[in-house]
Structure formats: structure tokens, C-alpha cells
Amino acid sequence: MSLAPAGRRTAAAVLTAALLVPLAACGNDDAKDDSTKGTTGSAPKAQLTVLAAASLTDVFETAGAAYEKSHPGTKITFSFAGSQELVAQIAQGSPADALVTADTKSMDKVKADTGTPTVIARNRLVIATAKGNPFKVDALKDLADTKLKVVLAAPEVPAGKYSRKILDAQHIAVKPVSEEPSVRAVLSKVELGEADAGLVYETDAESAKDKVDAVAIPDAQNAVAEYPAATVKESAHAEAAAAFVAWLSSPEAQKILQDAGFQKP
């Protein structure tokens, strides 16, 4: 028995509705997937690797968190070490997006591999001693006491270069019990009681003020450390790397650096 025209129209409508239900469901799923694309919960727009001097460890952790908060599409991973080690990594072609060293001479060694550097901060040396300064170290000349266990950064490390520069200028002969690969390693020796005193940056001593004391060195006897930052030419995220390096000179970043004891560039 054949269907009347009205019956055929009704059957067709039912069939069409049945077919549209799964299509609508698929459409809703697609819309849901699309709504997550490009949101802060999706993959970062750029995952940056920043090689930075060891003395920047604490402040850059804070700065990195602030940058990621205001730039939700970017994730930053820091690798901290002595500047000489970072420069060697760049020279060997290790993947990185930006480089920040503790002296301009280290940065100059890889100028063919980096963009134009910008000094983002300055620092000065202090004498770190055990808490309470039990050996009563008051000045650079006290470091010449052979009864004192003094530790310095190695000569190839920026902090080591600055240390020897100021000691030589004052004609002070110091025989360190060890020469460390980074200024943070010097600080650690003093913190652990393996050294009685060591030359570190002012900001390093500040970061460990509950464990060490800092003896100031007069400006006339001190050296100024400069921190240049630059992009790495082989960066896979050149635009994002340039944005981060530029941000380091911004008022927000400068406040973070100066709150940590770094001086204006």
C-alpha cells in the first residue's frame, strides 16, 4: 500500500530529523574543540629557553613568573650557570633563545651568534662571611690572612675576574682554598661553613642573608658588574625572544631587579 503525499512528507521529515541529530552532536563537539584553541590552557605560543648568569637565579625566577602572567602565551625555562659556561653552550650550538651574562666581555665572545646586547642591570661585590662574622672580617685586606679560608670564583668566571681586579688594585694577595665555577658556588661554600669568607655579588649575599653576613666594599675599591641581555640568532622563536629581552628593560622588570638589590643599568 503506498503512502499518501502528506504521509510521505511526514516520513521524510522524521527521517531528516533523525539524520540531523547525530550531525548536530558532531557539530557541538567540533565547536567545543575549537573553543579551546588559542586559549591560555592550550600549548604556549612560544617556549623560550633563556641562558642566564648564576647570580640572576632568584630574581629571574620572579621575573619569569611575572612575564608569563602578563604574556600567557609564553613559557620560559631558565638555565643558570657561570657566564663562561653559558657562552660555551652558545658557541657549541646548544638550542637557546636568549642569553644574559654577568659581564660584557663574555657576551662579546659570542657576538656573531647573538643580537645587539642591552645592559639590563648592574651589581657590586661584597665579602660574604658566616652569620655573625665570627672572624671579624672588616675589609678586603683581611682576606690576606692565611688563617682565613677564603674561596673565590674561578678566574674565567665574571665574579672571579672582578674579584681579582679589585684585589690586585689594592695589592692584596689572597690564596683561595678553592676556585668555584660560579658565584653561587662561592656563596654555597660560605653558607655550608666550608669557607670563612668569599667574594660574591651584593645580590647573592642578600638572597642568603639568613645564613651569611655581607661586608661592604667601598666604591673606590670595588668593581661594577654589568649584565647584558641579547637574543640568540638561531632562536626558533625570534619574535618572542626579542619581546622578552626588550621587557627586561621595562619599568616592571626593572622594579623586580632593583627590589632584589640590582642597580639601574
Side-chain angles (χ1 to χ4, degrees), residues 124-127 138-143 162-172 199 215-224:
R124 279 179 166 77
L125 293 175
V126 297
I127 303 169
D138 295 318
L140 281 174
K141 61 182 178 59
D142 295 334
L143 299 181
Y162 294 131
S163 297
R164 285 160 182 79
K165 178 181 178 180
I166 66 175
L167 290 170
D168 291 346
Q170 300 301 313
H171 307 289
I172 299 170
L199 286 172
V215 178
I217 301 171
D219 286 348
Q221 299 177 11
N222 215 328
V224 177

Side-chain angles (χ1 to χ4, degrees), residues 59-97:
V59 70
F60 263 23
E61 292 291 358
T62 301
Y67 188 81
E68 289 178 356
K69 184 176 180 180
S70 58
H71 300 75
T74 300
K75 173 70 176 176
I76 302 177
T77 299
F78 293 106
S79 178
F80 299 104
S83 295
Q84 79 288 351
E85 293 182 31
L86 304 178
V87 165
Q89 290 178 41
I90 295 295
Q92 292 165 8
S94 297
D97 302 291

Side-chain angles (χ1 to χ4, degrees), residues 226-264:
E226 294 186 331
Y227 291 77
T231 56
V232 176
K233 289 182 178 178
E234 292 300 317
S235 168
H237 312 285
E239 186 175 346
F244 175 71
V245 170
W247 177 83
L248 290 173
S249 296
S250 72
E252 181 185 9
Q254 286 297 302
K255 184 178 187 305
I256 293 171
L257 286 161
Q258 289 159 34
D259 284 350
F262 288 86
Q263 298 165 5
K264 294 180 180 180

Side-chain angles (χ1 to χ4, degrees), residues 133-154:
N133 194 1
F135 293 93
K136 307 303 178 186
V137 176
D138 295 318
L140 281 174
K141 61 182 178 59
D142 295 334
L143 299 181
D145 187 343
T146 56
K147 296 178 182 179
L148 205 63
K149 290 188 292 184
V150 179
V151 63
L152 300 175

